Amino acid sequence: LLSQFDPDNTGYISTEKFRSLLQRHGSELDPHKLEVLLALADSNSEGRICYQDFVNLMSNKRSNSFRQAILQGNRRLCSKALLEETGLSLSQRLIRHVAYETLPREIDRKWYYDSYTCCPPPWFMITITLVEVAFFLYNGVVLDRFVLQVSHPLYLKNALLYHPQLRAQAWRYLTYIFMHAGIEHLGLNVVLQLLVGVPLEMVHGAARISFVYIAGVVAGSLAVSVADMRAPVVGSSGGVYALVSAHLANIVMNWSGMKCQFKLLRMAVALICMSFEFGRAVWLRFHPSAYPPCPHPSFMAHLGGVMVGITLGVIILRNYEQRLQDQTLWWIFLSIYVIFVLFAIFWNIFAYSLLDLKLPPPP
């Protein structure tokens, strides 16, 4: 085939010969894949197509040159939208729904619909949620309390939460996510990270979503250590807010392309839940402490998560399947994040003693 359409062995096929191939064998291809191949032909301004791009497409891989060609092309998809297709099974309808919830372009939605195999499943968000629930139930049994556990005198003695006096124990900047103030705190975080995090992981993969989540968690505890230096930290809100804010920002930035039903209602529900949970955290922070002189946990972790979401998170969610290392903005925001982490580390080493801050005693 290559010798017939590329006799000079250049590695390229002319778009005219490529179209003739599609006309001859198009009926044998999946309609979505045929549409992607037509998009590749229509968006190519050089009059030729790389043979390796064609091979990659047929093996469910999209090269960077193909992504750039589609981004630069103005082809309007001619076939009916994925949302209009009928006769789908329950699992196919679920995958289609996830595609419309998270991806703004029809060609990406169809590509994801054809290539998703649920292998591996969205294991990260499910696993982290189960672990958080397990730790909460364990603490509930130990403390004999499930509502407002944070008010129990022994709550701060747990080795997982972040405490300013124990900030040298580096694991606490991450493990505090397994401690929650109470069942109302856990419930809102679990609902948000499952409803938003699982679909995002299904589309973008565990590596990207776990990075956003963990970056939000670390930024949350470090933000508290810089801006609310006397307070402890509990809960997974930093990671949850990073995911949710990135998703909402992606919807707003691609509003015309997001064809999901009731997107305005879903945004409103997410914002109401986030506002309610944030308001609860603010109220708890300034409520008289159950273990003076140490205040209740800080709410600054929520804001740290939001900042990660609308910077690193947006870049990760905006470019479906595009390599992050090829994006200038990704490196800029990653550099800013690294600088903040380094600044917070030095702040924790030197600022507390320089400011002569009186910290609450260790638990």
Side-chain angles (χ1 to χ4, degrees):
L1 179 64
L2 184 59
S3 60
Q4 178 183 352
F5 289 92
D6 182 22
D8 298 328
N9 199 27
T10 62
Y12 289 87
I13 305 175
S14 69
T15 52
E16 293 80 6
K17 294 179 179 179
F18 187 67
R19 286 180 184 279
S20 68
L21 265 177
L22 295 180
Q23 292 174 357
R24 190 180 313 169
H25 302 285
S27 60
E28 304 171 12
L29 298 174
D30 181 280
H32 295 162
K33 185 165 290 186
L34 176 61
E35 192 167 19
V36 172
L37 290 169
L38 286 170
L40 176 62
D42 289 352
S43 61
N44 195 288
S45 59
E46 298 180 355
R48 60 179 189 171
I49 294 171
C50 178
Y51 180 75
Q52 188 59 48
D53 282 348
F54 172 73
V55 173
N56 289 341
L57 280 169
M58 297 308 294
S59 59
N60 285 330
K61 296 179 181 178
R62 297 202 292 182
S63 67
N64 192 54
S65 58
F66 167 73
R67 297 187 191 100
Q68 292 300 323
I70 297 302
L71 286 171
Q72 295 169 6
N74 296 315
R75 180 180 185 272
R76 180 170 296 179
L77 300 179
C78 299
S79 66
K80 64 181 180 180
L82 180 62
L83 193 61
E84 300 170 3
E85 296 189 6
T86 58
L88 303 181
S89 66
L90 181 62
S91 61
Q92 289 175 322
R93 290 200 300 270
L94 174 62
I95 296 171
R96 179 178 66 180
H97 175 78
V98 169
Y100 274 91
E101 282 288 314
T102 55
L103 296 172
R105 295 189 306 152
E106 186 68 18
I107 196 165
D108 281 335
R109 290 191 283 257
K110 290 185 174 183
W111 180 268
Y112 167 74
Y113 176 82
D114 284 334
S115 60
Y116 183 71
T117 61
C118 199
C119 184
W123 61 269
F124 175 77
M125 292 310 307
I126 294 174
T127 301
I128 202 74
T129 300
L130 291 176
V131 174
E132 289 170 6
V133 172
F135 271 102
F136 175 79
L137 294 176
Y138 172 78
N139 289 325
V141 172
V142 171
L143 302 176
D144 193 24
R145 182 178 299 180
F146 291 92
V147 177
L148 276 181
Q149 289 182 353
V150 70
S151 62
H152 195 283
L154 299 179
Y155 185 81
L156 288 183
K157 293 186 178 297
N158 195 289
L160 298 178
L161 59 77
Y162 169 86
H163 190 282
Q165 280 282 19
L166 303 173
R167 64 188 183 279
Q169 298 175 358
W171 70 83
R172 292 177 180 265
Y173 291 90
L174 185 60
T175 59
Y176 75 93
I177 66 173
F178 301 120
M179 297 289 294
H180 284 81
I183 194 169
E184 69 290 342
H185 186 200
L186 174 74
L188 284 171
N189 280 342
V190 164
V191 167
L192 284 173
Q193 69 187 27
L194 287 180
L195 289 181
V196 176
V198 169
L200 289 179
E201 186 177 348
M202 290 174 65
V203 172
H204 297 282
R208 291 190 177 205
I209 298 306
S210 61
F211 177 83
V212 176
Y213 188 86
I214 294 173
V217 168
V218 174
S221 55
L222 290 176
V224 173
S225 71
V226 171
D228 197 3
M229 300 166 66
R230 298 183 68 253
V233 189
V234 297
S236 58
S237 299
V240 173
Y241 275 52
L243 289 178
V244 176
S245 59
H247 180 53
L248 294 182
N250 192 45
I251 292 177
V252 171
M253 293 171 62
N254 300 282
W255 187 260
S256 60
M258 302 298 290
K259 303 299 182 182
C260 51
Q261 294 178 318
F262 309 114
K263 59 185 177 183
L264 190 59
L265 176 62
R266 269 191 282 271
M267 281 191 63
V269 170
L271 289 173
I272 290 172
C273 289
M274 292 173 68
S275 301
F276 178 79
E277 206 279 323
F278 182 72
R280 180 211 58 81
V282 173
W283 170 84
L284 183 62
R285 170 63 180 85
F286 295 107
H287 190 269
S289 177
Y291 25 75
C294 185
H296 280 307
S298 176
F299 57 85
M300 290 301 299
H302 300 68
L303 303 182
V306 170
M307 292 307 299
V308 168
I310 62 178
T311 53
L312 288 174
V314 166
I315 298 302
I316 288 177
L317 302 189
R318 188 180 65 183
N319 298 282
Y320 170 62
E321 263 199 348
Q322 187 173 353
R323 293 186 303 175
L324 294 174
Q325 56 265 37
D326 295 335
Q327 304 175 56
T328 303
L329 204 55
W330 156 256
W331 289 109
I332 293 174
F333 284 138
L334 183 62
S335 300
I336 293 173
Y337 180 79
V338 172
I339 291 172
F340 165 72
V341 170
L342 293 175
F343 165 78
I345 291 174
F346 282 102
W347 179 274
N348 277 269
I349 295 174
F350 300 109
Y352 283 79
S353 57
L354 291 175
L355 295 174
D356 195 22
L357 190 68
K358 186 178 180 180
L359 294 176

